Amino acid sequence: MLSEYRSEATLILFLAVAFIFGPLFTEYFLTPDNLFNLSRQGSYLTIVSIGMALVLIVGGIDLSIGAVMQLVGLFTVLLLGAGASAEIAFLFALAMGAVLGAINGVLTVYGRMQPFIATLATGGIMTGIVMTYTQGNAVAPRGIDPAFREIGGGAVAGLPIPAAIMIVVVLLFWWTMTNTTYGKNVYALGSNKHAARNIGLNTELLECSVYMLSGMLAALAGYLTFARMGTFQPATAATGGTPVEMVIMAIAAVVLGGGSLAGGKGTMIGAFLGATVSAVMLNYLVLLGMGIWFQRFILALIIIVVVLLARKNERA
């Protein structure tokens, strides 16, 4: 039984060591301000990692999540600039994310395209739209609903609002994947698509729904990211980097948490812990004064580790 959760246990141990010995390397790590910012930054990555976990479980992949964040963020800011309320913009963002995710699902399932190619292409189109419209410049309309900034930068019970939303997302999808027929069907699809079809599952619709959920979660992360800034910054993703880096970090988080690139494996708690470990590592690098290029060097090492872990999980 315990072997099923060895990845989660390892990550919990890593986090315990990080929080115990972290202050020895930087006095700022355990300060209230840093922990507040860490929980907020980690929330964006966790939310998209939950979506990535769902897609990887069914044996797919979503390389468009960073681009979805950007495109939804741009349209959300423009909608707010046109006078919409933060609540209307929130619903619009989720709906737009669902549509973008559904497009990925349709191309993959009904268009018979490889998920890697389909989501890479749609992500490229979204990024192209964003950069064509903005020309790489920030978009900062006046008169935006103040509640938008409050959602991104405010707190509830001492916890950043994005982090509180993240907790709700993790618990909701953990419960869904462990206690509902839908969750069991998703795992069945990822374990053996032919067997799932033979027992009467609508595998096409099920797989499309997973991509739609991934799109919605990426849109939610995009909404929260740009709500913190109150403006749209084309080069920004959840980790403060590019959309490509967002994808890499999300895949790394899921695999570190026990997921497999071959499908059929992965948990929501594992994705959460993997994202938390990634966020803590990046936070350390920033506090230690490491430059962006060194951070990308570490990111490249993470890719290598992720691939090795993925192969190990696939053989397990």
Side-chain angles (χ1 to χ4, degrees):
M1 182 70 176
L2 290 177
S3 62
E4 297 179 10
Y5 302 99
R6 60 182 181 275
S7 295
E8 290 91 337
T10 300
L11 294 178
I12 291 174
L13 178 61
F14 176 89
L15 288 173
V17 171
F19 276 87
I20 291 173
F21 294 100
L24 298 178
F25 300 97
T26 170
E27 60 182 313
Y28 301 106
F29 179 67
L30 289 182
T31 61
D33 285 345
N34 184 60
L35 293 178
F36 186 90
N37 290 328
L38 174 60
S39 63
R40 182 172 56 193
Q41 289 288 347
S43 66
Y44 313 136
L45 178 58
T46 296
I47 290 172
V48 296
S49 296
I50 293 296
M52 184 64 78
L54 294 171
V55 175
L56 289 180
I57 286 173
V58 300
I61 196 167
D62 189 351
L63 302 183
S64 69
I65 55 173
V68 170
M69 290 177 63
Q70 284 198 324
L71 187 62
V72 170
L74 173 61
F75 275 81
T76 297
V77 170
L78 292 176
L79 185 63
L80 287 161
S85 66
E87 294 79 10
I88 294 297
F90 178 78
L91 295 176
F92 169 82
L94 292 183
M96 186 174 179
V99 170
L100 295 173
I103 291 173
N104 284 333
V106 168
L107 291 174
T108 300
V109 177
Y110 297 103
R112 307 295 181 184
M113 294 180 66
Q114 289 292 328
F116 182 94
I117 300 299
T119 58
L120 181 65
T122 57
I125 292 172
M126 294 178 214
T127 300
I129 293 173
V130 169
M131 299 309 292
T132 298
Y133 181 86
T134 65
Q135 295 297 303
N137 299 315
V139 177
R142 296 183 179 181
I144 286 182
D145 185 352
F148 182 60
R149 289 291 299 270
E150 180 61 24
I151 291 172
V156 54
L159 192 67
I161 292 177
I165 294 174
M166 172 204 71
I167 292 173
V168 172
V169 168
V170 171
L171 292 177
L172 174 62
F173 280 90
W174 167 79
W175 181 85
T176 299
M177 296 301 290
T178 57
N179 295 281
T180 69
T181 300
Y182 177 82
K184 295 176 182 177
N185 289 344
V186 169
Y187 278 111
L189 174 61
S191 297
N192 192 318
K193 183 176 294 187
H194 295 295
R197 185 179 294 113
N198 289 337
I199 63 175
L201 296 182
N202 188 334
T203 57
E204 289 81 8
L205 185 61
L206 187 61
E207 191 169 354
C208 277
S209 72
V210 167
Y211 280 97
M212 184 181 72
L213 289 172
S214 178
M216 289 180 66
L217 290 171
L220 173 60
Y223 179 93
L224 294 174
T225 299
F226 295 107
R228 176 175 61 86
M229 297 180 289
T231 60
F232 177 78
Q233 301 287 343
T236 301
T239 59
T242 67
V244 173
E245 290 169 337
M246 183 72 252
V247 171
I248 293 172
M249 294 302 295
I251 295 174
V254 177
V255 176
L256 287 172
S260 170
L261 298 178
K265 294 182 179 180
T267 66
M268 302 301 104
I269 299 301
F272 161 68
L273 291 172
T276 301
V277 166
S278 299
V280 168
M281 290 175 60
L282 288 175
N283 183 255
Y284 268 134
L285 294 176
V286 172
L287 292 178
L288 292 174
M290 302 300 178
I292 183 64
W293 294 111
F294 184 78
Q295 294 177 34
R296 291 179 177 177
F297 167 75
I298 296 298
L299 188 60
L301 292 181
I302 291 175
I303 297 172
I304 296 174
V305 172
V306 164
V307 171
L308 294 176
L309 286 174
R311 290 182 177 177
K312 180 181 178 181
N313 286 338
E314 289 164 9
R315 291 194 300 265

